Amino acid sequence: MRFRGIVPALVMLAGLAGLAVASGSQDTAAQTAERPKIVFMRSNGSNPYAMEAKPDDKYYKEVSRLSGVDFSFEWLEHSNQNQLLSLRFASGDLPDVFITGSVDSQFHPGAVQAGAFADLTDLIPKHAPNMWANMPAAYWKNPNVSLNGRIYGIPWLQPLPATRVVYYRKDWVDRLGMKPPVTLEDYLPIFAKIKATDLNGNGQQDEIGFGCRENFGYSDLPWASFGVFPSSWQLRGGKVQPDMIAPQMKDALEFWKKLYQNGYVNVDLWTKKGTDWIKDIYSSKVGFWTHDAMNLVNTWSPDKFPKDAVLDVLPGPRVASGATPLIPDSDAFGGVWVVNAKTKDPVAVVKFFNWMWSDDPEKEKLFTFGLRGVNYTEENGKVVFDATAPANVEKNTVSFFQVQLNPKGDYRMNPMIVDMYPARDLIKKAVPTAQQSVFSHADKNMPVLEAIKENPSLTSGAGSLFLDMAARVITGKEDATTAFNAFVAEWKKRGGDAAIGQATAWYGKK
Amino acid sequence: MRSSPRPSAFAVVNAVILVAAAVTMLAPIIHVVAVSLSDEYFLNRNAVSFWPRGLNVEAYGYVFAQESLWRAMAVSVYITVAGTLMALALVSSVSYSLSRAAMPLRTALLTAILVTFIFPVPLIPYYLVVRAARLENTLWSLMVPQAVGAFNIFIMKSFFQGIHQELFDAATIDGCTEYRIYARIVLPLSTAVLATIGIFFAVGQWNMYFQALIFIRSNDLRPMQVLLRSLVVEGEAVVATMGETDLGQMTPEQLKAAIIVFATIPIVIVYPFLQRYFVKGAMLGSVKG
Amino acid sequence: MARSDLRGVRRAARRTPVLPGSRGAFLTRPRVALLLLALPALVHIAVFKYIPLLGNVIAFQDYSLFKGLLGSPWVGLKHFVKMAGYAEFYQILVNTLLFSLYSIVFGFPAPLILALLLNEVRAVAFKRLTQTILYLPHFLSWVIIGGIFLRLLDPRGLVNAWMGSWFGTPPIYFIGESRYFRGIVVGIGIWKEVGWGTIIYLAAMAGIDPTLYEAAIVDGAGRLRQMWSVTLPSIATAIVTLFLLRIGHILDSNVEQMLVFLNPLVRNVGEVFSTYMYRVGLMSMQYSYTTAIGIFRSLVSIVLVVGLNQLARRTTGEGIY
């Protein structure tokens, strides 16, 4: 009769938990009387602080105090954000402001036509003059922001116009007596030596030349040297066609195959999660990898590596023209805020964004350095900020207020703070390097094509025809020419021809 | 009885096979425990198998210091225990009624319940119903929507039908109401089936992921499995937060192992106590629906 | 029936309780009591099962998030036609069936055999301990099991380290090899569920009349012989029932289990209905389409279970309903 004692105890536990939940929600309801209440929503970006933030978080309170609105955030679980957003649309229960990839995203098709978003065309010039004047004018015309000449979105800015660079272990290259690689061919002998030398000294042959992740995520090194990139489209033969079906793509895949067969990339790149990839890099198992320059402030900060590690950055491999392409260029925004059409006071939202774009020094400090007395101190009116202090490192708090919490954009590269990071010198080198490492392409700002919405396996992402073919070619399971030709035919047949037609038509109108 | 006192060759072979099976079950789990307790030096050399080398408990220090993990654990324990009690109350009462010949519309109701067992429930309508019931973003949403399962009703009903009918007849003649028969006669005779169904259900509650993902918005209300997935599978940023220096002597893989062990401990603690109920479980002798 | 009659019956019922199952007025007191006891669960089923079940109609619509169930246009069987015309439909069907076949051929007898062995153990303490250990994996979620096995099977993991030192084989990227993939996923599935699966059989075995064994011993039957001639026939009903239920789920695969191991190298063998539905649902929110696939799966199950039930009844005299 062990059950007897358990039941009352559980009922009590239930009551207590219920009380705790109820009292929490009452707290927030009490203060809404006068100030307009604005709830934001976006992915938590797997940021540990965002994953644990409570409804009355101290950073929300500070934003509320400075802005005069009752500000709070709701976080969507990062890896399922699109599905969660879609469910929220189905229920019609959305917060006041939330982020999406595009006002015409395939995750909420027909949202604009259904009147789900507030039309901001007239509100922004009138109520947000700061933002209207300072946002690059072209951004408002971007198809991710406006549709049929009406503005429905507010861009969320990237910290840099271009972000991707090649990272490498300079100490390794030096110890091997090699020079930093310039062209793609230069990488091969270095990879070979890395593989053959026990550079991390653990007695195992576990050093990898180029560290890669699943679905080719942040695995950018070789593509652009062949004039292609899995996700980009170019004008070829009068039509806008995806690079993945271009003949040069086959050459790129043959090169990947060489990397794979020689053990210059990790054999488990097909299943490598970001977590494990970072772990390998930290524990000195990877020589080269490609990632974003702004992550020097957190992920690739020198204090995260063993003491003898020396990092450096490179542009993309140099090609015949002298350019150093790595990834396709893009407008420097990483998402679009849309305002719920049902929100009580859209003007208050627009005014809030105007405040975000003002030069209020307190606001700038909050989103750059955090809370005074918590994340930084002031001496004689000057900010003293230690990026390695526990309050800043734990739970990745700095990224939380600079990036996730920040409705304007990513503040990691704010000039006010760059000199206070441990990686300051490398950051100053990485910013122009990233700028050199982009190439232009025909599908810049292209909306998601109808044919692709209909058949997602036409993309280059997880579960796509392209990725499956690339995997078979690179691992040598199928002959490159046969597999590639079969893929191109299949891709076109499954709706690719229609996609090319739609892309070309869109390009012609532009 | 039928067995002879000295161990036969059969018994020895049998025991050897069972021990081998048990070792197969335990080995992977022990490996993870060993990893969570080993020193970075040996981990980097891939030298840890089933025994921790260079004992190192830092990962546990870190895990135990995480308020969010404890909170998620509390949520999981709560929805498992309270949810299971609720489900048992709902399922046992309807199963009792359906086990009685006097129940009106009995066949029709049983068929109607069978239908729910066969057809899938699509995501969007399910989500909208839970929302309309105002359960979204409460712990109720993790306990109520799936509380009544057709499979469980059928098992429990057939168990109740196996109880000697003379007991009921006698009770009825003594003036017992149906409520009393249910509460005072049937339930006490049914601890085995209640425990078994309870454990079936509780395992589902403990391992609940998707439902929590879509119904829970507040960070505070997330159960263990959701957090576990963020940390173990998607936890890029978590690892990125803790570089070589912050981690000290622990590696991220060790941390993952420690989180896995942490999430498994409650099961290991509770489960010997429950075992006696379901090992008995003679009730499933007739799984006939 | 006239009101006065009804009152009379009620009064009579109060005096002499109506025996369960006895015929009489519709709403006798015990019946009302039984209905009230069933009511909470029945309301629950109506709300959380039946209302969402009606949502299956979106399989015949082009469901739009904004138009909702009532406003979305009807398109008839469009999504079923699309499914049947999908280039890899056949491949996915074959993959799904093969996975089920593997897990039935190897996974279905496994708990039965284990239960037979456990049933023969006489030392209570040993039996308890073994059972405890055998059940343990069932309690771990797929996230955890994925974490454990991806580690073990990694090219730098323990399995490869052993094979390297014992046989000198080069590291194998197990989960990237199509030819190992089914074996690995099915094997881990068996690892997780085999112990738990013994419970039902053990319970059935506990109900076997001991005199049957005594009679067998008198006839000179050894332990193996007893197993074959007494234990197995006695639990035939349970075996048939479980087998039919398993067959009914032939097109279902545990999506979490599959997703933990699925990757582009093995998609040709590893893509099954559940992963395809997950992917299409996740990547492009094609709710109507995935609902259509779900209905297709259910229809196949119904046909299979009903058909096999008939067959089972005809051959063994046992069915599940």
Side-chain angles (χ1 to χ4, degrees):
Chain A
M1 288 296 98
R2 201 168 255 128
F3 288 149
R4 286 270 161 79
I6 294 176
V7 177
L10 289 169
V11 173
M12 266 179 65
L13 185 65
L16 286 174
L19 274 177
V21 173
S23 65
S25 56
Q26 275 160 9
D27 269 359
T28 45
Q31 315 165 346
T32 52
E34 302 185 7
R35 298 184 296 185
K37 182 174 168 64
I38 307 181
V39 180
F40 284 70
M41 181 174 81
R42 71 171 307 162
S43 136
N44 62 25
S46 295
N47 178 289
Y49 191 95
M51 277 157 62
E52 293 173 22
K54 302 222 162 66
D56 58 343
D57 184 82
K58 54 184 185 287
Y59 293 97
Y60 306 163
K61 284 191 171 154
E62 184 65 3
V63 177
S64 302
R65 190 180 71 82
L66 294 175
S67 66
V69 304
D70 186 0
F71 172 93
S72 65
F73 241 108
E74 199 185 304
W75 305 103
L76 297 179
E77 208 257 346
H78 181 64
S79 52
N80 292 289
Q81 52 176 312
N82 293 326
Q83 197 172 17
L84 293 174
L85 182 62
S86 181
L87 278 176
R88 298 293 291 271
F89 271 104
S91 70
D93 172 31
L94 287 153
D96 303 302
V97 193
F98 51 96
I99 218 161
T100 173
S102 162
V103 295
D104 193 26
S105 157
Q106 74 258 46
F107 299 117
H108 42 75
V112 171
Q113 294 80 348
F117 305 145
D119 185 335
L120 307 173
T121 320
D122 305 319
L123 296 182
I124 290 173
K126 192 169 163 201
H127 298 289
N130 295 333
M131 181 163 73
W132 188 246
N134 292 316
M135 181 89 72
Y139 288 9
W140 297 118
K141 298 201 181 75
N142 187 301
N144 295 326
V145 177
S146 64
L147 197 68
N148 304 326
R150 307 299 292 177
I151 297 171
Y152 296 98
I154 298 172
W156 181 85
L157 301 187
Q158 295 277 22
L160 300 168
T163 58
R164 204 64 51 85
V165 294
V166 179
Y167 283 92
Y168 73 107
R169 287 288 295 265
K170 188 169 187 307
D171 53 322
W172 284 14
V173 174
D174 291 347
R175 273 166 63 195
L176 294 171
M178 310 282 281
K179 277 191 293 190
V182 178
T183 68
L184 192 58
E185 287 301 318
D186 293 346
Y187 280 86
L188 296 176
I190 303 177
F191 289 168
K193 277 206 169 180
I194 288 175
K195 182 168 185 266
T197 318
D198 184 16
L199 285 156
N200 61 22
N202 69 354
Q204 302 219 335
Q205 245 194 30
D206 55 359
E207 291 82 356
I208 296 292
F210 177 45
C212 301
R213 295 166 48 161
E214 60 176 353
N215 306 326
F216 294 128
Y218 292 104
S219 310
D220 306 317
L221 186 62
W223 306 107
S225 297
F226 296 90
V228 291
F229 197 80
S231 63
S232 93
W233 294 52
Q234 305 280 4
L235 198 58
R236 288 195 172 91
K239 287 181 181 166
V240 178
Q241 307 203 29
D243 282 356
M244 56 183 146
I245 63 165
Q248 296 92 317
M249 180 53 85
K250 199 190 88 189
D251 304 336
L253 292 176
E254 300 258 28
F255 184 84
W256 268 100
K257 183 178 173 182
K258 188 155 53 167
L259 294 178
Y260 196 83
Q261 308 286 337
N262 287 322
Y264 298 163
V265 292
N266 39 315
V267 63
D268 57 352
L269 77 94
W270 311 104
T271 46
K272 199 76 169 178
K273 300 275 181 216
T275 330
D276 302 303
W277 177 77
I278 295 176
K279 174 192 86 186
D280 283 353
I281 294 172
Y282 286 164
S283 55
S284 294
K285 286 178 178 156
V286 175
F288 290 76
W289 66 100
T290 53
H291 203 252
D292 291 325
M294 62 272 192
N295 284 66
L296 276 167
V297 314
N298 40 31
T299 323
W300 312 124
S301 184
D303 52 301
K304 302 283 168 68
F305 284 80
K307 284 188 186 60
D308 53 347
V310 181
L311 289 198
D312 200 1
V313 295
L314 292 169
R318 192 197 294 155
V319 296
S321 68
T324 53
L326 193 60
I327 61 162
D329 67 343
S330 64
D331 269 354
F333 56 87
V336 176
W337 292 109
V338 287
V339 180
N340 186 352
K342 286 187 230 149
T343 195
K344 273 194 218 110
D345 193 355
V347 172
V349 175
V350 172
K351 283 183 171 163
F352 176 84
F353 273 97
N354 194 48
W355 171 72
M356 280 308 304
W357 282 78
S358 73
D359 45 16
D360 176 355
E362 289 302 312
K363 175 213 65 172
E364 287 294 298
K365 272 196 239 169
L366 170 62
F367 288 109
T368 311
F369 302 111
L371 293 172
R372 186 183 303 132
V374 176
N375 306 100
Y376 72 99
T377 53
E378 274 189 348
E379 281 170 24
N380 310 323
K382 286 194 74 176
V383 171
V384 180
F385 175 83
D386 176 7
T388 58
N392 292 331
V393 173
E394 274 165 20
K395 306 200 188 304
N396 217 350
T397 310
V398 175
S399 278
F400 172 71
F401 58 72
Q402 289 179 342
V403 185
Q404 270 78 31
L405 183 75
N406 189 336
K408 182 179 174 186
D410 181 334
Y411 263 33
R412 276 179 288 182
M413 290 287 125
N414 192 327
M416 287 160 69
I417 197 173
V418 167
D419 273 328
M420 300 181 194
Y421 293 125
R424 60 188 80 86
D425 298 327
L426 201 52
I427 291 172
K428 284 176 187 154
K429 182 175 173 189
V431 172
T433 304
Q435 194 74 63
Q436 296 163 24
S437 306
V438 290
F439 62 90
S440 56
H441 53 110
D443 67 316
K444 185 174 175 182
N445 298 330
M446 184 166 77
V448 180
L449 301 168
E450 289 303 320
I452 294 199
K453 284 183 196 169
E454 189 68 19
N455 191 347
S457 62
L458 298 180
T459 62
S460 59
S464 63
L465 289 173
F466 171 75
L467 203 60
D468 290 359
M469 178 274 296
R472 293 196 302 273
V473 168
I474 293 172
T475 53
K477 288 198 166 63
E478 272 180 45
D479 171 63
T481 313
T482 326
F484 184 77
N485 291 342
F487 155 73
V488 173
E490 185 67 20
W491 188 88
K492 288 183 168 170
K493 201 179 84 191
R494 290 244 195 125
D497 275 331
I500 291 174
Q502 289 158 10
T504 310
W506 165 81
Y507 192 76
K509 267 192 278 178
K510 204 176 70 161
Chain B
M1 287 302 288
R2 63 194 169 108
S3 61
S4 49
R6 63 188 159 75
S8 60
F10 176 88
V12 172
V13 173
N14 192 11
V16 169
I17 297 175
L18 286 173
V19 168
V23 167
T24 316
M25 298 297 148
L26 269 187
I29 298 169
I30 291 180
H31 175 62
V32 172
V33 176
V35 166
S36 74
L37 287 168
S38 291
D39 192 83
E40 189 190 0
Y41 177 87
F42 297 100
L43 286 174
N44 274 336
R45 275 156 192 75
N46 231 340
V48 179
S49 46
F50 298 112
W51 195 250
R53 297 185 65 180
L55 189 70
N56 169 14
V57 295
E58 273 194 48
Y60 288 96
Y62 179 85
V63 168
F64 291 150
Q66 297 303 302
E67 193 206 328
S68 57
L69 279 171
W70 286 109
R71 231 198 125 83
M73 177 78 85
V75 169
S76 278
V77 168
Y78 175 74
I79 61 166
T80 302
V81 180
T84 304
L85 289 177
M86 189 191 307
L88 285 178
L90 283 167
V91 170
S92 65
S93 55
V94 74
S95 304
Y96 172 71
S97 291
L98 290 171
S99 75
R100 304 285 279 150
M103 175 72 185
L105 304 172
R106 188 161 162 261
T107 321
L109 287 171
L110 282 171
T111 314
I113 291 170
L114 191 65
V115 168
T116 69
F117 183 56
I118 293 169
F119 281 98
V121 169
L123 175 63
I124 296 242
Y126 182 60
Y127 175 79
L128 294 179
V129 165
V130 173
R131 225 185 92 70
R134 309 208 164 257
L135 303 180
E136 199 187 18
N137 202 29
T138 67
L139 294 181
W140 296 108
S141 70
L142 307 183
M143 301 189 284
V144 175
Q146 76 286 17
V148 181
F151 186 71
N152 294 343
I153 292 180
F154 280 104
I155 289 190
M156 213 180 269
K157 188 208 82 170
S158 90
F159 179 82
F160 291 161
Q161 280 173 332
I163 297 174
H164 289 293
Q165 292 292 316
E166 299 90 72
L167 274 176
F168 298 160
D169 297 345
T172 325
I173 289 161
D174 286 351
C176 279
T177 60
E178 291 288 337
Y179 309 112
R180 243 185 115 76
I181 298 177
Y182 162 68
R184 291 295 146 114
I185 299 178
V186 173
L187 287 187
L189 282 174
S190 310
T191 46
V193 76
L194 290 172
T196 308
I197 300 282
I199 289 164
F200 277 146
F201 191 82
V203 172
Q205 290 294 98
W206 180 260
N207 287 337
M208 174 187 296
Y209 168 70
F210 188 70
Q211 203 170 331
L213 179 74
I214 60 175
F215 292 137
I216 295 297
R217 299 179 187 178
S218 304
N219 289 336
D220 285 356
L221 300 181
R222 285 175 314 175
M224 196 66 202
Q225 300 298 334
V226 175
L227 198 63
L228 199 65
R229 185 169 300 231
S230 326
L231 293 174
V232 175
V233 186
E234 326 281 354
E236 208 176 305
V238 183
V239 176
T241 329
M242 308 176 300
E244 199 73 16
T245 43
D246 306 309
L247 283 165
Q249 288 302 305
M250 88 186 149
T251 68
E253 61 190 322
Q254 185 176 20
L255 184 63
K256 274 200 222 178
I259 294 171
I260 288 175
V261 174
F262 178 76
T264 312
I265 288 172
I267 295 167
V268 177
I269 292 175
V270 170
Y271 153 101
F273 295 101
L274 297 173
Q275 203 197 358
R276 66 196 190 99
Y277 290 103
F278 54 79
V279 170
K280 249 194 280 175
M283 75 297 157
L284 288 169
S286 133
V287 271
K288 251 169 106 75
Chain C
M1 190 184 282
R3 288 186 72 91
S4 58
D5 290 352
L6 194 64
R7 257 202 305 276
V9 171
R10 281 208 190 131
R11 224 177 294 126
R14 228 169 286 148
R15 259 180 284 115
T16 45
V18 177
L19 289 180
S22 67
R23 299 189 187 278
F26 187 74
L27 286 178
T28 57
R29 181 174 270 204
R31 286 184 159 182
V32 171
L34 287 172
L35 279 174
L36 283 177
L37 272 174
L39 194 65
L42 293 179
V43 169
H44 182 284
I45 290 173
V47 171
F48 291 105
K49 292 281 169 23
Y50 268 87
I51 298 178
L53 266 180
L54 297 179
N56 273 311
V57 298
I58 67 173
F60 306 96
Q61 294 182 326
D62 263 340
Y63 178 72
S64 151
L65 293 175
F66 302 99
K67 293 178 190 141
L69 213 62
L70 299 175
S72 296
W74 295 90
V75 295
L77 294 176
K78 175 182 154 187
H79 296 290
F80 293 89
V81 173
K82 181 180 172 190
M83 175 185 78
Y86 178 65
E88 276 154 24
F89 175 76
Y90 179 72
Q91 179 74 53
I92 292 173
L93 184 63
V94 169
N95 287 345
T96 313
L97 289 174
L98 278 177
F99 260 107
S100 279
L101 191 70
Y102 269 53
S103 48
I104 289 172
V105 169
F106 298 103
F108 188 77
L112 178 58
I113 294 168
L114 205 56
L116 286 172
L117 297 179
L118 278 171
N119 194 45
E120 296 300 323
V121 175
R122 296 286 164 268
V124 177
F126 175 72
K127 188 173 175 180
R128 278 274 275 312
L129 183 68
T130 322
Q131 279 177 289
T132 307
I133 295 171
L134 290 173
Y135 299 159
L136 187 59
H138 173 76
F139 292 88
L140 307 179
S141 64
W142 276 109
V143 189
I144 290 183
I145 290 176
I148 294 174
F149 280 94
L150 289 177
R151 225 197 112 71
L152 285 171
L153 296 171
D154 190 83
R156 297 198 296 238
L158 199 58
V159 174
N160 271 309
W162 280 354
M163 290 179 57
S165 60
W166 292 346
F167 312 113
T169 48
I172 299 171
Y173 182 34
F174 285 105
I175 61 160
E177 294 284 347
S178 301
R179 63 202 142 126
Y180 300 133
F181 188 72
R182 281 193 193 108
I184 288 172
V185 175
V186 170
I188 295 173
I190 294 175
W191 176 84
K192 185 175 192 287
E193 300 300 343
V194 65
W196 189 249
T198 61
I199 290 183
I200 287 182
Y201 293 121
L202 285 174
M205 289 172 195
I208 299 175
D209 184 354
T211 55
L212 289 176
Y213 290 106
E214 283 156 24
I217 292 168
V218 170
D219 288 350
R223 299 280 283 272
L224 276 172
R225 184 75 215 177
Q226 292 173 33
M227 228 190 237
W228 183 255
S229 311
V230 179
T231 316
L232 270 178
S234 305
I235 59 167
T237 316
I239 298 175
V240 170
T241 309
L242 290 172
F243 188 72
L244 285 179
L245 285 176
R246 180 65 191 83
I247 296 286
H249 288 281
I250 200 157
L251 290 188
D252 304 352
S253 355
N254 185 325
V255 67
E256 281 195 70
Q257 175 183 6
M258 299 305 296
L259 286 178
V260 164
F261 301 101
L262 195 59
N263 65 76
L265 285 176
V266 294
R267 195 173 295 284
N268 56 336
V269 297
E271 184 90 296
V272 294
F273 277 116
S274 56
T275 58
Y276 177 66
M277 283 165 73
Y278 178 82
R279 193 157 59 81
V280 174
L282 189 78
M283 283 173 70
S284 53
M285 309 299 151
Q286 299 185 27
Y287 294 113
S288 290
Y289 184 40
T290 50
T291 307
I293 302 176
I295 291 179
F296 168 74
R297 285 205 309 190
S298 298
L299 290 177
V300 172
S301 309
I302 295 169
V303 170
L304 279 173
V305 171
V306 171
L308 285 169
N309 194 49
Q310 296 285 345
L311 194 70
R313 251 191 217 163
R314 220 170 294 154
T315 50
T316 66
E318 295 280 359
I320 38 172
Y321 54 86

